[in-house]
Amino acid sequence: MNVHGIAETPSEHVRFAAYLDMLRHVREPDEVALVARVLADQDRTMARSAVLRHLDLRAADLCDGPAYPHWARAMAEAVSGHPFLVQRLREWTLLRAVALDQPWQEDDLLASSDWLQLKVAAGSHARAIELLAERGRTQRIRNAARAGLSGGRPSRPRRSSRRPTRP
């Protein structure tokens, strides 16, 4: 990029920034149409990335409030042809259920992405954290959950990869 403007910035970068700005300021009645418009962009990867960022920001804002279910249904329709976005929205809904102590299925949490399992492990729902400490997808998730259970301290010492020396 030169100092005189954005002439050297690739057009997808300009569109990405513009989409993020539009999504940040969109009025609720226009949100679904704007998400659909962004997802129709010729650069599908960039478009999905912009919508993913929007979903994450909006879901985080709405997650514990009464507006979330209506918003999530509308967004599910808007992102229906994009499996990763559908999954992320579904995982936000599961995170909400866990956080608000609503009904949820252990198998759903265990089958979820590392992203969601790490978010849940950092939360405060004891049943979910215990489940992840025992059966989380990765060692990192299990360790994070154990740390959450022990108040942020590692629950067991880390194993050294070095063998003890013999006398």
Side-chain angles (χ1 to χ4, degrees), residues 27 48 55 65 81 83 91 111 140:
R27 294 175 342 130
R48 283 190 298 255
L55 288 179
E91 288 187 343
R140 179 179 176 208

Side-chain angles (χ1 to χ4, degrees), residues 44-157:
R44 294 177 55 85
T45 301
M46 178 275 300
R48 283 190 298 255
S49 181
V51 171
L52 176 65
R53 189 172 299 181
H54 175 69
L55 288 179
D56 284 347
L57 292 171
R58 287 284 287 154
D61 285 345
L62 297 172
C63 196
D64 59 354
Y68 180 85
H70 172 74
W71 174 83
R73 281 190 298 278
M75 285 299 107
E77 189 174 315
V79 302
S80 65
H82 304 273
F84 182 77
L85 298 174
V86 169
Q87 176 186 348
R88 180 59 67 93
L89 192 56
R90 191 172 27 242
E91 288 187 343
W92 270 108
T93 301
L94 178 55
L95 178 63
R96 180 178 196 270
V98 170
L100 297 179
D101 205 22
Q102 296 174 340
W104 55 276
Q105 299 297 314
E106 288 184 358
D107 288 343
D108 292 340
L109 181 57
L110 292 173
S112 68
S113 70
D114 291 1
W115 173 86
L116 177 63
Q117 288 191 9
L118 285 167
K119 279 201 156 307
V120 171
S124 61
H125 191 281
R127 179 177 144 229
I129 296 171
E130 288 170 358
L131 177 67
L132 293 175
E134 190 65 32
R135 297 173 47 203
R137 289 172 55 108
T138 66
Q139 187 67 42
R140 179 179 176 208
I141 292 165
R142 293 187 297 275
N143 286 342
R146 287 182 193 120
L149 289 173
S150 65
R153 296 177 314 279
S155 58
R156 30 182 168 167

